[in-house]
Amino acid sequence: MRIAIFGLGYVGTVSTACFAEAGHEVVGVDVNPLKVDLLNSGTSPVVEEGVAEMIREAVALGAVHATSDGPAAVAMTEASLVCVGTPSRENGSLDTEAIHRTMESIGSGLRMRAGYHVVILRSTSLPGTIEGVREILELRSGKKAGEDFGLCVNPEFLREGSAVEDFNHPPFTIIGESDRAAGDVAAELYQEIEAPLYRIPLGAAEMVKYASNAFHALKAAFANEIGEICAAQGTDGRVVMDLLTRDTKLNISRAYLRPGFAFGGSCLPKDLRAITYRANRLDLRTPLLSSILPANEAHLDRGIQQVLKHEGKRIGLLGLAFKGGTDDLRESPMMCLAETLIGKGRQLRIFDENVRLSRLIGANKAYLEEKIPHISSLLVDTLEDAVEFGEVLVVGSAAPPLARLPDLIGIDRQRLVIDLAGAFPPDAFVAVHAAVTT
Ligand SMILES: NC(=O)c1ccc[n+]([C@@H]2O[C@H](COP(=O)([O-])OP(=O)(O)OC[C@H]3O[C@@H](n4cnc5c(N)ncnc54)[C@H](O)[C@@H]3O)[C@@H](O)[C@H]2O)c1
């Protein structure tokens, strides 16, 4: 394929070298004439393992050349990959100026180009940036995205220092696409790369990059705080963290990484309180660990507000224990939600397969009957009872018995379902939502 790469920095130059090596013909574009001259002379504008030789060879073979004429580069290629910088402004916001200037130039090129062309945004950009890009391109070209030209978001996951290796062996390839034809062109570029390729909506592709980088930063800060607490107690944090990473069931895994309702239970809140208390006693500042419980409370509060903003007086709560599959009510966020709703004058019926008075035994039965008798009197024995009662249904757990809910409600029954647990696909209750909220 003939492709244009806008921005000859780290990402753009490594991409130029790697795509040329994979057999593509690359036109590098940069506003900096020095970088253009360097590339045309066969010299890499950046220092990165292996790239100097790859660029030298590709330029000698005629597979790569550079220009500062963006529109001309678009006119002679099938796809433009935008790798320009997106630095922070002083206030922390993202500076998308270079993306916008580049898109103006690409838009002018699209106007001149007769054939189909796909614009692929590789620069790290916040969700919504691509919609601004769409506007600029359509305005400048007089053409329509998704019809006359394609639009993709294809975030880059390489790390400087191991960029070529990362480019050729990424964890995955993410392609956000305006339409199927656009995604097909972007996917073709990566057909030699052995990594899973996911084609998703444009906005989700932009967000995957931010979620990934935030997670990497979170991991590093977490390891450092644990390391500090270990060091202050005479333990080696590297040994602790090394073992932590060996648990691939709960620690380095998908566990706990699915957005849903607040966490609770008898262990996580208690143990977080204990370790942050210990850190304070050791005169250590651990802002990350100390922020976890407040973050969880904020999430619980968002859930409460989400329910309260609806008028419905009669609420069916589905799930009461801190998670499905247990009858443990200690520090359950659903208990907190129930108590707040009662305090705000809402009427409740609560169904939890494992927290039914008829089945409860021992400590949990005593806890319910003695400590929270007002809640125990609201428990119902069947999902049907809770659904029948509630004008609003709140899903607090992903417990298997709740899987019947969409069928049980049916599309003709007016029920607003608030799925705090994220147990159902986003469109499971759309008809029901619409019926109530309009
Ligand atoms: N550096 C990394 O390791 C890395 C990894 C993944 C993603 N990213 C992201 O990729 C993007 C590029 O990062 P980088 O480190 O390669 O940036 P960089 O600053 O090294 O390079 C950006 C290049 O874009 C050029 N440029 C600016 N405006 C232009 C325009 N209008 N037309 C053409 N060229 C223009 C600049 O002259 C410069 O050469 C950023 O969004 C960054 O967040 C970077």
Side-chain angles (χ1 to χ4, degrees):
M1 215 187 287
R2 298 190 80 185
I3 57 175
I5 293 190
F6 286 76
L8 296 173
Y10 285 92
V11 171
T13 304
V14 171
S15 303
T16 298
C18 293
F19 280 125
E21 191 176 55
H24 301 286
E25 207 175 305
V26 184
V27 184
V29 188
D30 206 293
V31 285
N32 182 340
L34 198 66
K35 293 197 173 191
V36 171
D37 291 345
L38 274 174
L39 196 70
N40 280 332
S41 70
T43 309
S44 168
V46 301
V47 175
E48 180 64 45
E49 173 95 27
V51 171
E53 303 78 44
M54 290 164 81
I55 291 287
R56 192 181 322 117
E57 277 171 34
V59 171
L61 284 171
V64 166
H65 78 272
T67 176
S68 49
D69 188 343
V74 173
M76 67 175 83
T77 54
E78 292 151 65
S80 291
L81 284 81
V82 177
C83 310
V84 298
T86 48
S88 280
R89 291 201 191 93
E90 213 158 280
N91 63 4
S93 64
L94 188 75
D95 186 347
T96 49
E97 192 61 28
I99 291 183
H100 291 163
R101 295 290 83 77
T102 306
M103 294 303 168
E104 285 166 3
S105 166
I106 294 177
S108 306
L110 286 176
R111 184 178 280 278
M112 301 192 298
R113 189 177 156 79
Y116 187 66
H117 188 94
V118 179
V119 181
I120 302 171
L121 182 58
R122 307 213 72 205
S123 301
T124 303
S125 51
L126 285 165
T129 308
I130 194 69
E131 293 314 317
V133 161
R134 182 198 296 267
E135 251 174 57
I136 296 173
L137 290 173
E138 290 187 343
L139 200 70
R140 283 281 167 144
S141 65
K143 295 181 176 178
K144 195 146 180 50
E147 289 175 20
D148 308 315
F149 67 91
L151 206 52
C152 288
V153 169
N154 167 222
E156 175 54 66
F157 291 93
L158 63 76
R159 296 161 297 174
E160 286 170 32
S162 54
V164 174
E165 167 68 15
D166 288 349
F167 186 97
N168 288 322
H169 304 282
F172 47 41
T173 301
I174 301 288
I175 296 176
E177 57 192 29
S178 61
D179 59 285
R180 204 71 202 159
D184 285 346
V185 173
E188 201 186 323
L189 277 172
Y190 295 100
Q191 60 182 343
E192 301 297 323
I193 303 270
E194 277 177 33
L197 186 145
Y198 300 103
R199 297 173 63 164
I200 57 177
L202 290 166
E206 289 174 306
M207 194 60 199
V208 171
K209 176 69 188 177
Y210 279 94
S212 300
N213 272 359
F215 191 45
H216 299 167
L218 174 77
K219 290 206 297 186
F222 176 80
N224 289 337
E225 285 194 3
I226 295 292
E228 284 302 306
I229 297 174
C230 289
Q233 300 177 114
T235 350
D236 186 342
R238 289 166 300 186
V239 172
V240 171
M241 287 306 294
D242 179 56
L243 280 169
L244 181 144
T245 61
R246 284 167 199 258
D247 169 0
T248 54
K249 193 171 170 193
L250 296 182
N251 291 348
I252 308 301
S253 72
R254 299 163 67 97
Y256 304 107
L257 284 173
R258 190 169 181 275
F261 197 30
F263 66 78
S266 63
C267 295
L268 302 189
K270 168 177 80 74
D271 297 348
L272 267 165
R273 279 193 291 270
I275 193 73
T276 48
Y277 185 84
R278 169 64 62 86
N280 286 339
R281 292 294 296 267
L282 291 167
D283 284 335
L284 292 175
R285 278 185 62 235
T286 50
L288 178 61
L289 289 171
S290 306
S291 69
I292 298 175
L293 284 175
N296 197 46
E297 280 152 23
H299 193 58
L300 171 60
D301 197 47
R302 277 192 292 272
I304 292 172
Q305 296 314 321
Q306 211 180 326
V307 179
L308 283 176
K309 88 177 173 224
H310 297 288
E311 296 287 296
K313 277 264 174 272
R314 286 178 294 123
I315 296 177
L317 280 196
L318 311 178
L320 186 63
F322 82 96
K323 65 177 178 184
T326 176
D327 62 354
D328 196 344
L329 297 170
R330 287 173 294 177
E331 301 213 36
S332 163
M334 284 301 275
M335 288 282 298
C336 213
L337 172 68
E339 299 201 311
T340 310
L341 294 177
I342 294 168
K344 295 280 182 188
R346 301 296 204 270
Q347 298 163 25
L348 302 188
R349 291 293 180 275
I350 305 169
F351 171 71
D352 187 316
E353 176 76 3
N354 296 303
V355 192
R356 284 188 283 177
L357 280 180
S358 50
R359 287 184 45 182
L360 278 183
I361 45 166
N364 271 324
K365 188 169 173 64
Y367 180 74
L368 250 179
E369 287 176 337
E370 286 162 24
K371 295 265 170 45
I372 44 172
H374 57 297
I375 289 209
S376 65
S377 67
L378 305 174
L379 292 172
V380 293
D381 273 341
T382 67
L383 179 59
E384 282 78 357
D385 290 339
V387 168
E388 190 60 39
F389 177 81
E391 295 163 78
V392 176
L393 300 173
V394 181
V395 179
S397 101
L402 299 186
R404 295 188 289 124
L405 189 59
D407 287 343
L408 201 59
I409 295 171
I411 48 165
D412 54 329
R413 304 266 301 275
Q414 298 214 343
R415 291 287 190 286
L416 174 65
V417 179
I418 300 173
D419 182 6
L420 295 177
F424 295 96
D427 57 355
F429 302 106
V430 165
V432 185
H433 262 276
V436 172
T437 50
T438 52

